[in-house]
Amino acid sequence: MTPQELTSEKDYCSTSLIALEEDFSTDLTLETYLEALSENESHTPAFDAIETGSAKRRGRALDLAVRKLALMEFKGKEYVEEYVRCQHRSCCSPNTIRNSQQGLEAFIMYLQATGKSDLKEIERRDIEGFVEYEQDRELKLSTVKTRLAIVKAFLRFMAEKGLIGEEVFPWKLKIKLPEALPRAMEPEDVDRLLATSGSERDRAMIVLLLRTGMRIGELLNTRMVDVTMREQKILIYEAQKNHLGRVVYFSDDAKAALEKWLEKRDKQQELLFYGQKGKLLSYPAARMIFVKYIDRAGLSHKGYTLHSLRHTYATDLLNARMPLEVLEKLMGHTSLEVTRRYAKLKDKTKEEEYFKAMAIIERRQRDGDQQCDCELQALLEETQLLPSHDQELHEHP
């Protein structure tokens, strides 16, 4: 294994681990944060509170992982504990720590079922067998890929400590996921959803998700100090999925819905949206709000989810001719390729040109060939799909 291949594999594992925490904003770099501080110093304590809360959640996740590992009887489990503690020191998110513990626990249970009792006895075929075992359990491919990435990262940790040999590492074992299209809502369904009545809080949540493209976890953790009504923007200091900070903006209809909720909400509460006794709204509670809204709108049979609002946001902006590079920042994606999926979903230019050309073809079959052939050639030249007859073709160097 060459150093280049080792570096490539490390990058692959790191990227996979980031992906296991969620999909798709202007990056909130140190410069933009300091600029925000100069404009509004009141954000300083809020940012400190967010950092403190995040550290506490990481600590709780680590404590839970250590307690669960203590219940297992397997030689080498102390290396797993050392690994998750290393993740905690590196400020990995609570989700990363939890997923690592759960994935490695599943791997150890598989090893026990095969008769092994020590992590140092691992062979390459054990990793291959674990992947096949997880696939046979009919887990989602994304879950299997995530667990493979967790095991690879842990094995790299073991190899760096000299506990296992490099020959154990499954360098070429990768799982390719199908490139499924995002599920966006149809325009008429969006109209029906927005026309549905509900409480001020619930409507504000639905409209904000639709107009900002925020992930539900980001919205539920938004505090009042993160919202600027005058500039119609929300600061996301740290995204739960990829830790990228960004700024999102909301439209006039979202502002109107939010203003109605602000008139009703308890001014003493720190969170923008909260549950009973000011507690953080859970994802299941937010999902039930959305399900009730969808049901009242008569759209239950469509299979829409909370994340469909984010997909709809991206699709609508692309249809309005927003550049992909801008949308990538607003969505908080780490790669333009992720954003490009939406271009496949709703390419209005491609759709319009297809139906324009098809109308000419159908008219040719009905009225005759000659005139329609000229129309079709003119259309192709206009859209630069083909050169004109008198235009000479040149070879590319």
Side-chain angles (χ1 to χ4, degrees):
M1 182 61 57
T2 65
Q4 291 79 7
E5 290 174 320
L6 178 61
T7 301
S8 175
E9 191 63 35
K10 286 184 177 181
D11 292 342
Y12 166 75
C13 290
S14 299
T15 303
S16 299
L17 280 175
I18 289 174
L20 61 88
E21 294 175 357
E22 176 206 297
D23 282 278
F24 295 167
S25 56
T26 301
D27 290 349
L28 190 60
T29 61
L30 178 61
E31 292 180 0
T32 56
Y33 173 59
L34 292 175
E35 183 180 345
L37 287 181
S38 65
E39 295 177 358
N40 188 355
E41 295 183 357
S42 65
H43 283 188
T44 304
F47 189 73
D48 292 341
I50 290 172
E51 284 191 322
T52 302
S54 180
K56 288 181 178 179
R57 288 193 295 272
R58 287 197 304 272
R60 287 195 295 267
L62 175 63
D63 290 342
L64 181 60
V66 170
R67 287 200 302 270
K68 288 186 175 182
L69 287 170
L71 299 175
M72 301 189 70
E73 295 183 3
F74 197 83
K75 291 182 180 179
K77 68 178 184 180
E78 64 272 15
Y79 303 127
V80 179
E81 178 178 340
E82 185 179 352
Y83 176 66
V84 293
R85 288 189 181 279
C86 179
Q87 288 185 320
H88 178 262
R89 290 193 297 271
S90 300
C91 292
C92 290
S93 76
N95 280 345
T96 297
I97 296 172
R98 277 192 296 268
N99 287 330
S100 294
Q101 178 268 319
Q102 292 170 1
L104 293 174
E105 181 178 340
F107 181 55
I108 289 175
M109 291 176 66
Y110 168 77
L111 292 175
Q112 287 176 320
T114 62
K116 285 188 167 58
S117 60
D118 192 333
L119 279 173
K120 293 182 180 179
E121 299 174 358
I122 295 176
E123 301 176 85
R124 181 178 298 188
R125 62 183 180 181
D126 292 323
I127 296 94
E128 296 168 349
F130 175 65
V131 170
E132 292 178 5
Y133 171 73
E134 296 290 80
Q135 290 173 331
D136 289 342
R137 291 174 58 205
E138 297 185 354
L139 296 180
K140 290 182 178 179
L141 274 181
S142 57
T143 301
V144 179
K145 181 174 183 178
T146 292
R147 292 200 166 175
L148 173 60
I150 290 171
V151 171
K152 280 187 169 185
F154 175 65
L155 292 180
R156 189 177 69 232
F157 172 81
M158 295 271 287
E160 289 174 349
K161 288 186 168 295
L163 299 171
I164 60 173
E166 189 178 300
E167 69 279 357
V168 174
F169 202 93
W171 299 102
K172 296 183 179 180
L173 181 57
K174 297 180 182 180
I175 297 175
K176 183 174 178 60
L177 296 180
E179 295 185 10
L181 290 176
R183 180 76 192 279
M185 298 181 68
E186 296 295 331
E188 57 271 20
D189 293 342
V190 173
D191 293 339
R192 291 175 64 177
L193 184 68
L194 293 177
T196 302
S197 60
S199 69
E200 287 83 358
R201 183 197 67 179
D202 296 353
R203 178 172 176 78
M205 287 180 60
I206 296 295
V207 180
L208 272 177
L209 288 170
L210 184 63
R211 299 310 191 200
T212 64
M214 296 175 73
R215 302 176 179 93
I216 182 60
E218 295 168 346
L219 183 64
L220 296 181
N221 283 283
T222 297
R223 291 164 168 74
M224 279 301 302
V225 292
D226 302 330
V227 182
T228 305
M229 294 296 292
R230 180 174 56 84
E231 299 179 15
Q232 297 179 214
K233 69 181 182 182
I234 298 175
L235 294 179
I236 302 173
Y237 288 96
E238 182 180 345
Q240 288 186 324
K241 180 180 177 181
N242 53 26
H243 309 298
L244 286 180
R246 71 186 194 277
V247 179
V248 295
Y249 305 90
F250 50 89
S251 58
D252 290 340
D253 60 346
K255 181 180 180 180
L258 187 53
E259 286 174 339
K260 290 183 179 180
W261 163 236
L262 294 181
E263 293 174 1
K264 297 280 186 177
R265 72 181 297 280
D266 183 356
K267 303 296 189 294
Q268 302 301 316
Q269 299 298 331
E270 182 182 10
L271 293 168
L272 175 60
F273 298 105
Y274 51 86
Q276 293 182 349
K277 298 181 181 180
K279 292 183 179 180
L280 179 72
L281 268 175
S282 65
Y283 174 80
R287 180 181 175 278
M288 285 308 302
I289 291 172
F290 177 75
V291 168
K292 290 178 181 178
Y293 240 88
I294 286 290
D295 186 55
R296 286 199 295 267
L299 300 172
S300 299
H301 62 289
K302 292 295 188 76
Y304 293 134
T305 66
L306 268 172
H307 214 65
S308 297
L309 298 175
R310 179 170 160 86
H311 294 327
T312 304
Y313 164 85
T315 302
D316 287 346
L317 289 181
L318 275 182
N319 286 340
R321 303 295 193 265
M322 173 174 280
L324 273 173
E325 294 78 7
V326 177
L327 182 61
E328 176 195 15
K329 299 300 182 182
L330 289 173
M331 295 290 282
H333 292 163
T334 56
S335 168
L336 190 62
E337 288 306 310
V338 179
T339 317
R340 205 180 301 278
R341 294 190 304 164
Y342 293 102
K344 299 178 184 178
L345 182 66
K346 288 286 185 180
D347 188 339
K348 282 295 182 184
T349 301
K350 182 170 61 178
E351 179 180 333
E352 291 167 1
E353 297 302 334
Y354 167 80
F355 284 109
K356 192 185 298 183
M358 191 55 65
I360 295 174
I361 293 172
E362 290 174 346
R363 196 160 62 250
R364 179 179 63 186
Q365 294 173 343
R366 185 177 63 249
D367 301 335
D369 293 344
Q370 185 173 2
Q371 178 61 31
C372 291
D373 282 344
C374 295
E375 291 182 26
L376 185 58
Q377 177 63 29
L379 174 63
L380 295 175
E381 291 175 4
E382 178 184 345
T383 57
Q384 297 182 347
L385 293 177
L386 286 176
S388 59
H389 291 303
D390 59 350
Q391 188 176 2
E392 184 178 354
L393 292 174
H394 299 280
E395 291 186 3
H396 291 288

